[in-house]
Amino acid sequence: MTKKKIADYQSHLQDVLDAPEGAHIAALFDFDGTIIAGYSATAMLWEKIKRREMTAEEVVETINVMAQYSTGNMGFSGLMTGAAKFMKGVTEESYFEFGEELYEKYIARKVYPEARALIEAHRAKGHTIAIVSSATIYQIEPTARDLDIEHVLCSQYEVENGEFTGNIIRPLCFGEGKVIAAEGLAAEYGLDLDNSYFYSDSYDDIELLERVGKPRPLNPNAKLREVARENDWPLEKYESRGQGKPVDYVRTIYATGSLIGSAIASLPIWALTGSQREAMNFSTGLFGDIATALTGCELEVTGEENLWTSRPCIFVFNHQSKADVMILAKLIRKDMGGVAKKEVRDTPVIGKLMELAGTVFIDRANARSAIKAMAPLIDAIKIDGKSIVIAPEGTRTLSPKLGPFKKGAFHMAIQAGVPMVPIVIHNAGDVAPKNEFLMRPAKVRVDVLPVVDTSKWSVRTMNEHVAEVRGMFLEALGQAEEEEALEALVNDERTPEKKTAGAKRSATPDAVAKKPVAKNTVAGKKPADGKKPLANKSVAKKPVSRSTSAKKPAAAKPAKVQAAE
């Protein structure tokens, strides 16, 4: 294949932005290998094996079925039928919970940032976006919710009285079944498939690729590449997720180790001047420069002047990635202290270096002790003139979406009497998403927002200040309208008449929406009020097994994705 055949992802993005507008144009996406790197079913299987939720006999039989499918001796229907029989008697709710855990542990970090940008481009054009996948709703729903994809068309297991029966619902969303699903969606919403897109990595999807007017092979396998070449379909390949190259491992190891190297390089300054502060300042800036250079993290900063106009101050940032540390070190450079979870202190060498640099380690599970632990930072601001760097979200988020803010930074600003400077990091997850070891090259956008005057703040009006600053982040991240829509939806669903009318995840096929798009799909449904939020770390830890009883999740953020029937 010539280089001309593999398009740069920016050119595909521009292709979408140059396309006609309108909801009559569909942007259909396969899931595994297209939106995420790898296969969610594999992650699900290995997690169940790790939890010992499968007997040795079930493991052997599952591997045998998968081997037969991969060699062509069994069709997809046989594969799903084999999987379904192991699920008989298991509650469907437990699988929704399992899907949430799987998303947090594995799948969230596998979402291609390029796919996220592509989806946003289609959304900017007002196109109708849908996932059309042979996977199940339990694998897809959390990611679809994160990406704000309203329609999910997928394969299903049969459910009666809240439990799997051991059977599948036909037709499955595979091969011709995907065409049936897409045409059902088109009929329901007035879509023009002849002018619509379908993105897929597999030749298994050739029927739907040939059905739409704009087939877009994405990370294609060998057979699909060959067909695409024959048909002159534009190709695209992402390398930002999945198995990294050897150079990525080298970059990551050296970038992490540069914290130690930078500290060693500062020792002569400490020895000759006697100033630990000057040594730490030198080390901080050097670490930021070296680590970002080694990882290929290029910063595109607006409002950089706001970093220097009002020190000392409280720097607040949205926390997406371990790359945030080197980004902040490069930007702030000197006279800074910070806050980190107590577990970091136990990291050999690095924990001690962070302590010497003025980091305070807190127990996030104990709010009272955390507030007490941060007291020395007030002295660091007032006496030493240091600025404090803190993430109001408290922990890294799974996606670029902004999480709720805690109040520690705001109390600190009031007590110290210093201004607050918001640092908005748009896409540090492109370098290294949460739970990912590897760091990869990426251009990261950063907005340093105007200084926030805190001189008139008080504890009594604290909630207003938190909302104001968080609103600044939402506006800069382009999430303000989304947040407003979500709040309106939550308020709408809380009214008594809406509570009874709201759609719920069904336990039986007959209990789903009145107008299913196709036999294997339902589009545009909202989950029950009991849906767990992505940011809630208290997802059920109970194993998904035959003895698992349905557990009611805590109240949470509504979403636009619903299990398909």
Side-chain angles (χ1 to χ4, degrees):
M1 187 190 312
T2 63
K3 288 184 179 178
K4 198 172 182 180
K5 289 287 185 182
I6 298 285
D8 177 79
Y9 109 89
Q10 289 288 352
S11 68
H12 277 264
L13 212 55
Q14 193 59 50
D15 173 55
V16 173
L17 294 175
D18 291 339
E21 296 183 357
H24 66 288
I25 296 176
L28 310 176
F29 288 81
D30 181 36
F31 185 63
D32 294 304
T34 304
I35 289 178
I36 68 169
Y39 297 93
S40 54
T42 303
M44 182 175 278
L45 175 62
W46 281 116
E47 180 65 12
K48 291 182 75 173
I49 292 174
K50 280 170 60 178
R51 296 181 179 194
R52 298 182 179 180
E53 293 170 9
M54 299 179 70
T55 65
E57 181 183 353
E58 288 175 335
V59 172
V60 170
E61 189 168 348
T62 299
I63 292 173
N64 179 50
V65 168
M66 293 176 67
Q68 290 187 60
Y69 174 71
S70 63
T71 57
N73 294 323
M74 177 184 289
F76 183 73
S77 179
L79 178 67
M80 287 289 289
T81 300
K85 73 177 186 178
F86 295 132
M87 299 168 62
K88 185 175 181 179
V90 177
T91 63
E92 184 185 32
E93 187 61 36
S94 69
Y95 255 71
F96 276 112
E97 293 177 356
F98 185 35
E100 293 290 338
E101 293 184 53
L102 205 67
Y103 173 78
E104 289 197 6
K105 291 179 70 173
Y106 301 106
I107 296 177
R109 60 189 168 97
K110 298 297 184 183
V111 176
Y112 286 111
E114 300 94 334
R116 190 184 291 274
L118 194 58
I119 289 165
E120 287 305 313
H122 279 290
R123 182 170 288 113
K125 302 300 289 189
H127 297 166
T128 298
I129 304 169
I131 293 175
V132 187
S133 173
S134 58
T136 66
I137 192 68
Y138 321 107
Q139 297 154 253
I140 301 170
E141 184 184 43
T143 303
R145 190 169 70 249
D146 166 40
L147 296 171
D148 293 320
I149 295 179
E150 184 177 6
H151 307 293
V152 174
L153 319 181
C154 61
S155 298
Q156 296 166 85
Y157 298 116
E158 186 181 73
V159 177
E160 289 183 0
N161 300 320
E163 295 183 350
F164 295 111
T165 66
N167 298 320
I168 58 175
I169 295 178
R170 301 175 189 274
L172 292 168
C173 198
F174 181 83
E176 186 63 27
K178 286 195 175 184
V179 178
I180 295 171
E183 289 181 338
L185 185 70
E188 178 86 5
Y189 291 93
L191 307 179
D192 179 5
L193 292 183
D194 292 332
N195 283 297
S196 294
Y197 298 77
F198 177 47
Y199 299 89
S200 174
D201 69 310
S202 175
Y203 180 79
D204 290 337
D205 292 333
I206 191 65
E207 289 95 338
L208 186 51
L209 285 164
E210 291 177 338
R211 173 64 184 86
V212 299
K214 297 180 180 180
R216 294 292 185 264
L218 184 54
N219 309 317
N221 59 19
K223 194 169 183 180
L224 181 54
R225 269 201 312 271
E226 185 179 338
V227 172
R229 196 181 300 126
E230 292 171 357
N231 289 278
D232 200 30
W233 292 343
L235 294 169
E236 195 170 334
K237 182 174 176 58
Y238 300 157
E239 296 182 343
S240 60
R241 294 292 183 265
Q243 187 63 37
K245 300 176 182 177
V247 67
D248 294 322
Y249 287 90
V250 174
R251 287 176 185 274
T252 303
I253 293 168
Y254 273 87
T256 304
S258 67
L259 178 62
I260 299 173
S262 300
I264 293 173
S266 72
L267 292 178
I269 295 175
W270 192 350
L272 294 173
T273 67
S275 172
Q276 177 182 335
R277 182 167 178 168
E278 286 301 319
M280 288 297 102
N281 285 343
F282 175 81
S283 175
T284 299
L286 184 61
F287 164 66
D289 291 339
I290 293 176
T292 52
L294 284 172
T295 56
C297 177
E298 180 184 347
L299 299 185
E300 184 179 285
V301 185
T302 59
E304 193 166 1
E305 66 278 4
N306 295 324
L307 291 167
W308 303 99
T309 56
S310 300
R311 297 201 186 187
C313 64
I314 305 293
F315 288 108
V316 288
F317 70 99
N318 55 313
H319 199 5
Q320 298 178 356
S321 168
K322 64 182 179 182
D324 294 337
V325 176
M326 64 183 185
I327 291 170
L328 293 166
K330 183 176 179 66
L331 291 175
I332 300 172
R333 307 197 71 83
K334 58 183 291 187
D335 297 333
M336 58 185 284
V339 177
K341 59 184 179 181
K342 66 176 184 178
E343 291 82 2
V344 176
R345 182 169 47 194
D346 299 327
T347 305
V349 184
I350 292 177
K352 187 62 179 178
L353 289 175
M354 291 180 67
E355 190 173 11
L356 287 172
T359 301
V360 168
F361 301 96
I362 62 171
D363 181 0
R364 293 184 308 199
N366 189 328
R368 191 180 298 274
S369 70
I371 293 172
K372 185 177 180 180
M374 286 194 287
L377 294 177
I378 304 299
D379 291 336
I381 297 169
K382 289 183 173 181
I383 299 172
D384 300 329
K386 284 189 174 184
S387 295
I388 304 303
V389 186
I390 187 168
E393 294 163 296
T395 187
R396 283 175 284 177
T397 55
L398 288 166
S399 77
K401 288 188 177 180
L402 194 68
F405 276 14
K406 299 179 186 298
K407 298 178 181 178
F410 299 85
H411 282 291
M412 197 180 299
I414 292 173
Q415 292 176 40
V418 294
M420 182 172 281
V421 178
I423 300 177
V424 182
I425 304 175
H426 286 263
N427 58 312
D430 291 3
V431 178
K434 186 175 181 178
N435 299 326
E436 182 65 75
F437 169 73
L438 285 183
M439 290 194 280
R440 306 173 197 251
K443 177 180 285 189
V444 177
R445 289 174 51 215
V446 180
D447 294 331
V448 185
L449 302 185
V451 176
V452 178
D453 181 11
T454 67
S455 60
K456 296 181 180 179
W457 282 12
S458 70
V459 175
R460 184 175 56 83
T461 56
M462 178 69 70
N463 290 339
E464 296 175 19
H465 310 315
V466 174
E468 175 193 356
V469 174
R470 188 169 183 274
M472 295 170 68
F473 276 86
L474 289 168
E475 188 70 31
L477 290 167
Q479 298 174 16
E481 290 184 7
E482 174 188 324
E483 185 92 354
E484 288 172 7
L486 179 61
E487 288 177 1
L489 181 61
V490 171
N491 292 333
D492 201 34
E493 290 187 345
R494 279 176 180 166
T495 61
E497 63 273 18
K498 293 291 183 180
K499 279 185 179 179
T500 55
K504 296 182 72 177
R505 282 202 303 249
S506 70
T508 65
D510 295 335
V512 197
K514 294 177 182 177
K515 295 182 180 179
V517 174
K519 287 185 179 178
N520 60 333
T521 65
V522 162
K525 299 300 297 176
K526 300 179 182 68
D529 287 346
K531 191 77 197 71
K532 282 189 173 67
L534 296 184
N536 186 352
K537 300 288 278 185
S538 63
V539 195
K541 300 301 178 186
K542 186 179 284 187
V544 179
S545 65
R546 296 180 190 273
S547 61
T548 305
S549 58
K551 180 177 179 180
K552 188 85 170 177
K557 157 182 174 178
K560 300 177 182 178
V561 185
Q562 170 66 20
E565 291 296 344

mmCIF file of all heavy atoms in Angstrom, residues 30 65 73 107 178 310 345 431 473:
data_model
loop_
_atom_site.group_PDB
_atom_site.id
_atom_site.type_symbol
_atom_site.label_atom_id
_atom_site.label_comp_id
_atom_site.label_asym_id
_atom_site.label_seq_id
_atom_site.Cartn_x
_atom_site.Cartn_y
_atom_site.Cartn_z
ATOM 1 N N ASP A 30 -18.144 1.131 14.743
ATOM 2 C CA ASP A 30 -17.904 -0.141 15.415
ATOM 3 C C ASP A 30 -17.242 0.198 16.754
ATOM 4 O O ASP A 30 -16.758 1.320 16.951
ATOM 5 C CB ASP A 30 -17.003 -1.009 14.536
ATOM 6 C CG ASP A 30 -16.721 -2.365 15.139
ATOM 7 O OD1 ASP A 30 -17.624 -2.933 15.772
ATOM 8 O OD2 ASP A 30 -15.577 -2.851 14.998
ATOM 9 N N VAL A 65 -14.111 -22.784 22.255
ATOM 10 C CA VAL A 65 -15.076 -22.087 21.407
ATOM 11 C C VAL A 65 -14.403 -20.924 20.676
ATOM 12 O O VAL A 65 -14.615 -20.713 19.474
ATOM 13 C CB VAL A 65 -16.270 -21.586 22.249
ATOM 14 C CG1 VAL A 65 -17.129 -20.610 21.450
ATOM 15 C CG2 VAL A 65 -17.114 -22.762 22.720
ATOM 16 N N ASN A 73 -14.108 -22.279 12.075
ATOM 17 C CA ASN A 73 -14.912 -23.499 12.208
ATOM 18 C C ASN A 73 -16.228 -23.251 12.947
ATOM 19 O O ASN A 73 -17.034 -24.160 13.107
ATOM 20 C CB ASN A 73 -14.115 -24.575 12.942
ATOM 21 C CG ASN A 73 -12.921 -25.040 12.141
ATOM 22 O OD1 ASN A 73 -13.000 -25.148 10.915
ATOM 23 N ND2 ASN A 73 -11.802 -25.301 12.814
ATOM 24 N N ILE A 107 -11.063 -0.443 30.068
ATOM 25 C CA ILE A 107 -11.534 0.077 28.793
ATOM 26 C C ILE A 107 -11.351 1.583 28.653
ATOM 27 O O ILE A 107 -11.027 2.070 27.563
ATOM 28 C CB ILE A 107 -13.009 -0.330 28.576
ATOM 29 C CG1 ILE A 107 -13.100 -1.858 28.468
ATOM 30 C CG2 ILE A 107 -13.582 0.331 27.327
ATOM 31 C CD1 ILE A 107 -14.509 -2.401 28.314
ATOM 32 N N LYS A 178 -25.917 -6.098 11.344
ATOM 33 C CA LYS A 178 -25.578 -4.684 11.522
ATOM 34 C C LYS A 178 -26.308 -3.824 10.501
ATOM 35 O O LYS A 178 -26.708 -2.687 10.797
ATOM 36 C CB LYS A 178 -24.060 -4.475 11.412
ATOM 37 C CG LYS A 178 -23.277 -4.961 12.616
ATOM 38 C CD LYS A 178 -21.863 -4.420 12.628
ATOM 39 C CE LYS A 178 -21.137 -4.825 13.907
ATOM 40 N NZ LYS A 178 -19.782 -4.242 14.014
ATOM 41 N N SER A 310 0.617 36.946 39.894
ATOM 42 C CA SER A 310 0.029 37.058 41.238
ATOM 43 C C SER A 310 0.562 36.011 42.203
ATOM 44 O O SER A 310 -0.192 35.416 42.967
ATOM 45 C CB SER A 310 -1.501 36.940 41.142
ATOM 46 O OG SER A 310 -2.033 37.955 40.342
ATOM 47 N N ARG A 345 3.945 8.752 49.047
ATOM 48 C CA ARG A 345 5.075 8.936 49.951
ATOM 49 C C ARG A 345 5.887 7.654 50.113
ATOM 50 O O ARG A 345 7.092 7.695 50.381
ATOM 51 C CB ARG A 345 4.579 9.403 51.323
ATOM 52 C CG ARG A 345 5.703 9.665 52.322
ATOM 53 C CD ARG A 345 5.188 10.365 53.566
ATOM 54 N NE ARG A 345 3.974 9.726 54.068
ATOM 55 C CZ ARG A 345 3.167 10.287 54.969
ATOM 56 N NH1 ARG A 345 3.425 11.480 55.435
ATOM 57 N NH2 ARG A 345 2.091 9.644 55.405
ATOM 58 N N VAL A 431 -1.319 11.723 26.399
ATOM 59 C CA VAL A 431 0.037 11.265 26.747
ATOM 60 C C VAL A 431 -0.052 9.966 27.536
ATOM 61 O O VAL A 431 0.629 8.979 27.215
ATOM 62 C CB VAL A 431 0.786 12.334 27.570
ATOM 63 C CG1 VAL A 431 2.181 11.827 27.964
ATOM 64 C CG2 VAL A 431 0.882 13.640 26.801
ATOM 65 N N PHE A 473 -13.581 26.320 34.342
ATOM 66 C CA PHE A 473 -12.988 25.120 33.743
ATOM 67 C C PHE A 473 -13.910 24.537 32.675
ATOM 68 O O PHE A 473 -13.473 24.186 31.578
ATOM 69 C CB PHE A 473 -12.703 24.069 34.817
ATOM 70 C CG PHE A 473 -11.404 24.242 35.542
ATOM 71 C CD1 PHE A 473 -11.307 25.072 36.654
ATOM 72 C CD2 PHE A 473 -10.265 23.567 35.120
ATOM 73 C CE1 PHE A 473 -10.113 25.221 37.329
ATOM 74 C CE2 PHE A 473 -9.061 23.709 35.795
ATOM 75 C CZ PHE A 473 -8.981 24.544 36.900
#
